[in-house]
Amino acid sequence: MAIEPVTEPGSGGALRLPRARVVSLSAPPSSYTAAVERYLTGAGIAKSSARIYRISLTTWGWMLAGEPAPTGPARRGAKPPVFPVTAIDEPALPEVLAELAAARADQMDADTVNRELSIARKVIGWWQRQGWITCDPTVGIERRPAPPDRTKALAENQITALWRLDVALREKTFWKLLYESAARADEVLCLNVEDLYPQDKRGRITAKGGATEWIHWQSGTAQLLPRLIARRTRGPLFLTDRKAPAGTPTLDVCPGTGRARLSYRRAEEIFEENTRLLANPLASADDIEDLDGWTLHRLRHSALTHEAEDGTSTPMLLARSRHASVRSLERCARPGVDAAARHVAERDPAARRRT
């Protein structure tokens, strides 16, 4: 954004600095979608983050066009609206957007809503600095208070039952890799075949800010990966079952098969649907449609908790989880009541003397 000095009439040529007048530093893109791509390529967004940004901004595309964003199965295959990015400056948009955002917030968890709002504000601020728009219609939208994470780790026997499920090779490999690496699901879904170092049982991911980090796996994943990869040498590791639709970014398309990268949303749906009876062992299969399964996050939570229960040190847990602080690690690695009781019993002086 640039501010032009203005000469006031009758001022004898004296200059003053009036209200800021936006001068476009470059011509605005022809559409909102094009503006999103310009942001993703021009703002230095890491490869691993660009996909998450694009998904969030697609959701906001509906709302910035004055339409409710589709959710669940209705979202798959839905075409986002086409409109000029300058329409964001429409005076009536903030009120409409506030209503749409509030309705969406009632349907989604607070963490997702807050993350999407944060991304939207970053992008809108960048567009303002380019001089493409002048207003931020999200100004009146407040972040939702996020409840504390009380997710419980799965028990060892639940993890064992998970491995026994009759599911596709893709799901077996994905779930096993999540648990053995204790990595975030979105990071694992961003892996490409060329990011893997099978001989070392590790994979390279790009963290926030573009830093290179590593995830490590064990023999269970190592045995499944070659079958999943087959003869592929590059492209997304985890693929959809169908050809990628037109317009899918090249980065998210396998050059050999033409299939698209598996999305977090779809991966979460598959995991939740397949774990409904495991999560509700007393329920009947006839009631499966009314049941809730597990979330992918519980695999990461379970892996870190089980390692903490087995005595893994805090520095090693931080290295495994790649958390920035012990405080954030504590939300994921919380040994349960039985583990705490076992820990105390093993260190009971009287029990040691009897031994």
Side-chain angles (χ1 to χ4, degrees), residues 185 263 332 346:
S263 71
C332 274
E346 290 172 351

Side-chain angles (χ1 to χ4, degrees), residues 27-95:
S30 59
S31 67
Y32 170 83
T33 304
V36 167
E37 294 304 318
R38 289 276 290 275
Y39 170 78
L40 294 177
T41 56
I45 304 300
K47 181 178 68 173
S48 59
S49 300
R51 184 168 169 274
I52 303 301
Y53 272 56
R54 188 177 286 107
I55 293 172
S56 294
L57 293 171
T58 298
T59 296
W60 274 93
W62 272 288
M63 296 194 292
L64 289 170
E67 302 177 18
T71 58
R75 183 183 176 92
R76 291 200 297 274
K79 299 293 184 182
V82 178
F83 61 96
V85 68
T86 52
I88 293 175
D89 283 335
E90 289 291 335
L93 181 58
E95 182 177 352

Side-chain angles (χ1 to χ4, degrees), residues 6-16:
V6 177
T7 303
E8 280 202 20
S11 63
L15 297 178
R16 69 177 179 86

Side-chain angles (χ1 to χ4, degrees), residues 52-328:
I52 303 301
Y53 272 56
R54 188 177 286 107
I55 293 172
S56 294
L57 293 171
T58 298
T59 296
W60 274 93
W62 272 288
M63 296 194 292
L64 289 170
E67 302 177 18
T71 58
R75 183 183 176 92
R76 291 200 297 274
K79 299 293 184 182
V82 178
F83 61 96
V85 68
T86 52
I88 293 175
D89 283 335
E90 289 291 335
L93 181 58
E95 182 177 352
V96 174
L97 188 62
E99 293 180 0
L100 292 171
R104 177 170 173 76
D106 290 339
Q107 301 174 341
M108 309 296 292
D109 65 276
D111 287 334
T112 299
V113 169
N114 292 338
R115 181 179 67 249
E116 291 180 345
L117 177 60
S118 176
I119 289 174
R121 285 178 170 160
K122 287 179 184 178
V123 178
I124 287 172
W126 192 83
W127 289 341
Q128 286 176 315
R129 292 192 293 275
Q130 308 311 305
W132 299 344
I133 59 175
T134 59
C135 301
D136 180 356
T138 71
V139 167
I141 302 174
E142 297 182 356
R143 292 174 60 85
R144 291 298 174 107
D149 183 0
R150 299 300 183 202
T151 306
K152 292 183 178 180
L154 300 172
E156 296 279 2
N157 65 322
Q158 290 176 308
I159 293 292
T160 300
L162 179 65
W163 303 149
R164 291 177 181 151
L165 288 180
D166 183 15
V167 295
L169 174 63
R170 180 187 65 190
E171 275 62 58
K172 286 182 181 179
T173 310
F174 181 47
W175 302 346
K176 184 76 75 168
L177 178 53
L178 286 183
Y179 182 72
E180 291 188 350
S181 68
R184 300 173 181 88
D186 55 348
E187 294 173 335
V188 171
L189 288 169
C190 283
L191 280 172
N192 291 331
V193 175
E194 60 267 34
D195 296 326
L196 307 181
Y197 292 75
Q199 67 278 13
D200 299 322
K201 296 180 183 176
R202 68 176 65 172
R204 181 184 61 227
I205 62 171
T206 304
K208 293 180 180 179
T212 297
E213 294 184 347
W214 297 88
I215 61 172
H216 307 264
W217 55 81
Q218 297 169 326
S219 297
T221 301
Q223 292 171 1
L224 294 170
L225 275 176
R227 294 167 53 198
L228 179 72
I229 296 170
R231 295 183 175 86
R232 292 187 291 139
T233 58
R234 59 193 180 96
L237 176 59
F238 294 102
L239 301 171
T240 57
D241 297 323
R242 302 176 180 176
K243 296 286 186 180
T248 303
T250 304
L251 182 66
D252 293 328
V253 179
C254 173
T257 65
R259 290 186 285 159
R261 187 186 304 274
L262 181 66
S263 71
Y264 184 97
R265 189 182 306 273
R266 181 58 184 147
E268 185 80 280
E269 287 177 357
I270 294 172
F271 187 66
E272 190 273 335
E273 290 170 0
N274 279 279
T275 57
R276 288 176 183 175
L277 289 179
L278 294 183
N280 303 273
L282 300 181
S284 165
D286 296 334
D287 302 324
I288 194 168
E289 295 298 330
D290 300 321
L291 303 176
D292 292 325
W294 296 328
T295 62
L296 289 171
H297 174 69
R298 295 189 71 174
L299 290 178
R300 170 174 165 84
H301 184 102
S302 302
L304 294 172
T305 295
H306 294 163
E307 290 199 19
E309 291 176 346
D310 289 340
T312 302
S313 67
T314 297
M316 182 56 68
L317 286 174
L318 283 170
R320 289 272 285 137
S321 67
R322 291 166 291 106
H323 278 109
S325 66
V326 173
R327 183 176 181 181
S328 58

Side-chain angles (χ1 to χ4, degrees), residues 336-347:
V337 174
D338 291 340
R342 185 169 62 250
H343 173 84
V344 173
E346 290 172 351
R347 286 157 180 78

